[in-house]
Amino acid sequence: MFIGIDWGGTKMEVIALGRDGETRARHRVSTPTSGYDDCIRAVLDLVAAAEQTAGEQGSIGIGIPGSPNPRTGIVRNSNAVLINGKPLGRDLETALGRPVRLANDANCLAVSEAVDGAGKNEHVVFGVIVGTGHGGGLAIDKKVHAGYQGVAAEIGHYPLPWMTQDEYPGHKCWCGKHGCLDMYACGTGVELDYRLTTGVEKRGRDIIEAKRAGDLVATGVYERFVDRLARSLALLTNIVDPDVYVLGGGMSNVDEIYQDVPPRVVNYLFGDTFETPIRKALHGDSSGVRGAAWLWKD
């Protein structure tokens, strides 16, 4: 049995999968904000609950926002700030008394979709999260490719490619730099664009609905989002050229993008065609937690 935990900023979810991918148990709790030790205890409780429900023990994989340094094990760049600077993997192994595998949550998306999702027949699967932020994960032969520094596929914090004069130098990102894709090719970027254009706050889903109803301002915001996402995929194709892109996160549910993005990519690509499939994550919001479980699928 394979146990996966999706450690998010607001919730923790556990799933127990059988060898054929069937769900044996599933539980969810709020992520503790009271301290690091309370978070460790929450993981222990989730594992215990999953194993009690399923009636057996399993391997444990955990997807986290941020990434562990592959040489020190110290977690970096997490918006779940309690785990930054901590040797989370070692601490969990000590608490659980067994091995634990950690990976960035976007890498878990890629693994999930490579094992039994929208990229299950592909060699190189690039997962792109277009949700609150813009993140990436890379799976090769159904395994995480984290890179030598442990930061492969961290696409949210390179600058928006091919900036226009109006876009330069870019919005200031929460990371301290300007122009990061995390502020553009995502739901946050759509909402920020609308607010800066109109002075009005509107949720991403409402902006999309307004676009579908023919609102010209919302249509302009959507078209800029599509072009910015296409620029990201063009740069990724020039560097990685994966067999498939699999999209997750809230904006991946906007069905129009699967028709509208590919023709834009070729405008920026070093080549004359773009034929790489762009698919919606088959497992949707469950891809992260399932991918965490599949970190042990050797």
Side-chain angles (χ1 to χ4, degrees), residues 6 11 13 26 28 248-250 252-253 281 283-289:
D6 182 14
K11 58 91 178 170
E13 182 175 12
R26 194 164 190 168
R28 177 182 290 190
S252 72
N253 295 315
H283 296 296
D285 292 341
S286 297
S287 284
V289 71

Side-chain angles (χ1 to χ4, degrees), residues 160-162 164 167 185 221-234 260-261 264-265 267-268:
L160 174 65
W162 296 282
T164 66
E167 291 167 338
V221 170
Y222 169 78
E223 292 293 334
R224 287 189 289 276
F225 163 73
V226 165
D227 191 70
R228 289 161 178 167
L229 179 56
R231 285 184 247 172
S232 178
L233 298 187
D260 295 340
V261 169
R264 304 286 188 97
V265 176
N267 295 333
Y268 302 100

Side-chain angles (χ1 to χ4, degrees), residues 46-164:
L46 284 171
V47 171
E51 292 183 336
Q52 182 176 14
T53 299
E56 64 176 294
Q57 282 196 333
S59 58
I60 301 171
I62 302 181
I64 61 171
S67 62
N69 183 304
R71 278 165 293 285
T72 67
I74 299 298
V75 174
R76 314 152 294 178
N77 305 323
S78 176
N79 61 10
V81 295
L82 290 174
I83 63 176
N84 283 328
K86 303 290 188 181
L88 180 61
R90 292 199 298 272
D91 289 343
L92 286 169
E93 288 183 342
T94 298
L96 289 160
R98 61 182 119 161
V100 172
R101 291 183 180 175
L102 294 182
N104 174 265
D105 50 10
N107 281 327
C108 290
L109 163 72
V111 168
S112 171
E113 295 299 319
V115 169
D116 62 356
K120 66 180 180 179
N121 297 317
E122 310 295 350
H123 169 51
V124 180
V125 176
F126 205 108
V128 181
I129 295 178
V130 278
T132 303
H134 184 83
L138 181 59
I140 300 176
D141 291 331
K142 308 185 190 307
K143 305 291 183 187
V144 170
H145 180 79
Y148 187 73
Q149 312 295 336
V151 293
E154 288 282 5
I155 61 177
H157 297 281
Y158 59 58
L160 174 65
W162 296 282
M163 276 191 180
T164 66

